[in-house]
Amino acid sequence: MKKVWEGAGSLLVFWGLAGLVHELVGWFRFWGLLGRLPLVDGHEWIASAVILVLGVILVVVAEEMAGRPAGPKISAAGEGGASVSADADRARPE
């Protein structure tokens, strides 16, 4: 799953950078896909910046997912030693 998020994030970063370069310099004429959408007509550079930021966020989230285990380890109640009650951390009145 990490590879899918990284791939999607990298694609969005590339698409956002290509859109920004197209809007600022005029290069990558065929890669400016946002110019063909009527929803963002006139605001292509803002949409490209938003796509770039979303792509960076996806890549960062994918990198954070790499270090996490699949889920919490839950042991049985009687297994692994003495059980600790929920009130053990509270201070007792004297």
Side-chain angles (χ1 to χ4, degrees):
M1 189 68 179
K2 176 185 175 250
K3 296 283 185 182
V4 173
W5 289 115
E6 280 182 346
S10 299
L11 184 66
L12 287 176
V13 166
F14 178 74
W15 190 11
L17 282 175
L20 284 175
V21 170
H22 173 69
E23 290 299 318
L24 296 174
V25 182
W27 298 346
F28 304 116
R29 185 173 55 139
F30 296 112
W31 292 348
L33 299 174
L34 290 174
R36 295 182 178 97
L37 296 175
L39 179 67
V40 294
D41 191 26
H43 302 287
E44 289 89 359
W45 67 275
I46 296 172
S48 294
V50 168
I51 288 174
L52 175 67
V53 169
L54 287 176
V56 169
I57 290 172
L58 274 179
V59 170
V60 168
V61 166
E63 287 296 321
E64 289 295 321
M65 285 174 46
R68 291 187 176 180
K73 294 183 180 179
I74 300 174
S75 62
E79 189 178 324
S83 63
V84 178
S85 68
D87 295 330
D89 291 337
R90 294 185 185 174
R92 296 188 177 163
E94 294 181 16

